[in-house]
Amino acid sequence: MIDLSNLRTPGWQRVVAELSAPAADDRVFLARLTAVLGQVSSARQAVFWRTAGVREDGPAGAEPKAQLSWPYAEGSDPIAELGSPRGLDDGRIDQLGDVRAAARSAASSRQPQVFSLDNEMMYDAGGGRGYVIAVPVTAGGQGDQSLGPVVGVVTLLLEPRSRQAVQTTLAILEICAGYIHGHAANQSLRRMRQTTAALDLATRLIASINATEGFKGCCIQLANDLCRQLSVDRVAIGWVEGPGTGGRVSRSPTGDTGRKSVKMIALSDTEQIDRRLAMVQKLEHAMEESLDQEQTVLYPPPPAEGEGADVVLLQAVTQAHRELAATDARLTVASFPLRIGDPRGEKIVGVVTIESGRGTRFELGLIELMQSALDLLAPVLAVRHSDDRALPLRAWDSLVRAGAWAVGPKHTVWKLVGVIVMLATIAVFVIRTPYRIGAPMELQPFERRTIAAPFDGIVASLGEEIEAGRKVAQGDLMVELDTTELKLQQLEARSQIVQFETQADEELKRGNLAAAQQASARAEQARSKHDLLAHQIERATIAAPMTGTIITGDLKDKIGSQLKLGDKLFEIADLSSTIVVAKVEDSDIAMISEGQTGELSPKSNPSFKAPFVVDRIVPLSRADEGQNAFEVYGRLTDEAPAWFKPGMEGRAKFNGETKPLVWIGTRRIADQLRIWLWW
């Protein structure tokens, strides 16, 4: 027996180590896989083709696109070639037509295939010009390789060889291609570690800020904790202000309009922020730069090639970050957006800016870790910010969220407004209601009497407790005027009567008929004056003409004062029954008729409604506050409450015909337009 344990296969060890080594991303691994497949198959040329929806009978636009060619040309960058959207120049590919057809066939069949360059039929054993082997590369993952999508095809141009050698080469290529699952596992493990680290960091930070009250206190605590845990110089936190409730990222189907700005609310190891400082303004400009680009911004940017390269960070605009770091050449600045999930997409609610002046660069792993941790922290901060807002703003957000459940998450407010407008439009045309004509009204007593001075005279005395608000019965003494002068005039008139009657008798005895008639006429005149004075003396005692309540008049301070004929002394009304007097505009009087019903509401108690019915309409209008108005009298159909008093004002509503809401709302406008447009 011969011991062969000391035999080594350094070539295969190198291949396995190269395929098993962790790769930064898929492009690095695909370039490495293409080179390895070309080496182990001793191919003249290996080409990686990018495939997307390729079918054997598909259109020309679905042709595989060459991305990478091995052996690599001197000075070329295979990673950049894989990321180039233009693809590989067709002039660099040998046997272009055969190789492309092989890539297309392998992509559609999802199986490795061998083609002879002498015959398009698969696997011709002759192989005078050589072979093309097409190996599909599926997306890595657990389970059967054939279940994953085909991300590309590696075509290998081989020299002529035996059928058995081709079979062996094909088997080796399939084994090597299977290492993509190891790469996928490594990538998944790396992401899991990053997620675990981000979750651990976020958990510690959330626990810290949950022990702090108030949104501003939470942000200050978060800035201090990040500064200590990352060992950086300064951490600043800004919150998005402006139209809407945060910056809408471009991936969302809908975007908020209007300028967004960032207001710095927390700075590590600082309790009060002076916004007049240039440093604070530069920090806010850097935060707005990250908000405008909706991505992480790093300054100095990462290298374009090699370890630590990142195309996204490299292409970011860093002008504001450069100005912030201009005072220290060793300063490194990174801004991270605070993103939260939203039914309409991701939403940026704030920005965290970190500064490190130790001359160290932020590694890509740390940047990914920080962004993942802040993505977990952002919803917590958003909730704390919402809880600190005024109740009307929180209620509005709740209403919008409820509306999103009904009409969808996109353009919720506009959809709700549209639905409301549509329903309102339908309602105003469909819904019919009685047209109620409004008019100012006044309560007046059903029966009232006015007591005036019967003649010119002097107030001698008043009846007992005669004043406004007192109840009186019919016949009660109200006012007594001074009759002294009237009585003297009455005595004088009586003496004149006797004198003229005696003179008339004497003239008759003398036979002077004319003189006797004149004396008789004078006696009759004196008798009339006497009767008039007697009547005035009788009327000097003024009694209540009806039973009721004195509603106006107070003569306590006018005793001994002179009155003139017709002066108003008192007004008595029966308050047990009242009537309604409404002043209806002339534009509405055509809709009022006798017997029409309505309701009134006094100003003293607007919630009270009393029904009434129209009794009569005064046919002559009167000017009232610049408008013509007709007096409409009505009576209450129910018993008036005790607190109804004459003189109360309010509003009367007359029940008109049933009309659509749109007619009711536009009636006055339409009438005015008819007047303007009439000719």
Side-chain angles (χ1 to χ4, degrees), residues 443 578-580 600 610-613 634-641 644:
L443 292 178
T578 56
I579 60 173
V580 182
L600 64 88
F612 69 91
V613 62
R635 54 181 172 82
L636 298 174
T637 56
D638 294 341
E639 183 177 355
F644 264 31

Side-chain angles (χ1 to χ4, degrees), residues 348-363:
I348 299 176
V349 295
V351 179
V352 175
T353 298
I354 301 176
E355 300 175 77
S356 177
R358 296 175 174 81
T360 58
R361 297 182 60 86
F362 289 112
E363 298 179 355

